[in-house]
Amino acid sequence: MLTVRYFAGARAAAGGASSETVAAASLDELTQVLADRHGERLALVMKAASFLVDGLTCHDRTSPLPAGATVDVLPPFAGG
């Protein structure tokens, strides 16, 4: 299980949830699980988002996620 934390627009797209627990093996799978759970709005945010896995930037959406990891979903912020 992973802990997913939402920030800014990702939080709004997830219905205001700040975090939740999800089972997923990769960021690609996580994106699909969360899109199924929360809908197209969050799916669009996830496509443009950056991710931190246990505090480290993760660019490879297919690499395995460690069990018990915390994944931060960071949508693009204004001005950068």
Side-chain angles (χ1 to χ4, degrees):
M1 294 300 281
L2 307 168
T3 299
V4 179
R5 299 189 305 183
Y6 300 107
F7 294 88
R11 181 178 291 170
S18 60
S19 66
E20 65 182 305
T21 305
V22 179
S26 68
L27 289 176
D28 278 344
E29 185 178 335
L30 178 65
T31 298
Q32 186 60 55
V33 169
L34 294 175
D36 292 346
R37 187 178 292 181
H38 295 286
E40 185 62 24
R41 185 172 173 211
L42 183 59
L44 290 173
V45 170
M46 298 283 286
K47 285 181 184 178
S50 297
F51 299 94
L52 298 179
V53 177
D54 290 335
L56 301 173
T57 302
C58 182
H59 297 289
D60 183 358
R61 293 182 182 225
T62 62
S63 67
L65 294 170
T70 297
V71 178
D72 295 329
V73 180
L74 306 169
F77 293 93

